[in-house]
Amino acid sequence: GSLTQLEDTAPRIVEHPTDLLVSKGEPATLSCKAEGRPAPAVEWYKDGERVETDREDPRSHRTLLPGGSLFFLRILHGRRGKPDEGVYVCVARNYLGEATSRNASLEVAGE
């Protein structure tokens, strides 16, 4: 048999994040899984701004999991604001293009 040439494909999101309601100080995971060849790089955006994870800042409480999900060690919520609350999307990119997930809102449960 002849070897089929695997064709590169643009990313597509196969698992979208869903809205979360999280208690302050609890861990949380926003799911995202993308497929594509070559394997797409995943980035997260919150309210349109790129989310920094422990890849950029070792002290960050957010970790980008190998599959592309975003894991929060604990949801931060202080008197000065709710840094983790907002609308998140994940974006998967490779050289053929990019795919954006549905919006998922993360809310911190009331005081």
Side-chain angles (χ1 to χ4, degrees):
S2 60
L3 285 172
T4 29
Q5 179 62 45
L6 283 167
E7 282 191 27
D8 287 355
T9 55
R12 66 188 183 98
I13 308 281
V14 292
E15 187 182 325
H16 290 265
T18 53
D19 294 351
L20 289 182
L21 179 63
V22 188
S23 301
K24 176 170 91 179
E26 292 290 304
T29 304
L30 284 165
S31 305
C32 179
K33 197 170 275 151
E35 287 179 351
R37 279 187 72 88
V42 170
E43 287 185 332
W44 283 87
Y45 291 84
K46 168 182 169 291
D47 301 330
E49 305 241 320
R50 204 169 88 74
V51 172
E52 287 212 331
T53 64
D54 58 1
R55 292 189 181 189
E56 292 89 18
D57 178 0
R59 295 187 315 273
S60 175
H61 66 294
R62 293 180 289 248
T63 301
L64 188 60
L65 299 178
S69 296
L70 185 63
F71 175 70
F72 299 82
L73 292 172
R74 62 191 179 286
I75 291 298
L76 299 184
H77 188 310
R79 282 183 298 279
R80 288 191 310 282
K82 308 173 180 181
D84 290 324
E85 220 171 58
V87 176
Y88 289 80
V89 295
C90 92
V91 180
R93 290 190 183 89
N94 66 15
Y95 78 96
L96 283 168
E98 64 178 60
T100 304
S101 73
R102 292 195 289 271
N103 288 356
S105 64
L106 188 152
E107 283 185 56
V108 179
E111 295 292 89

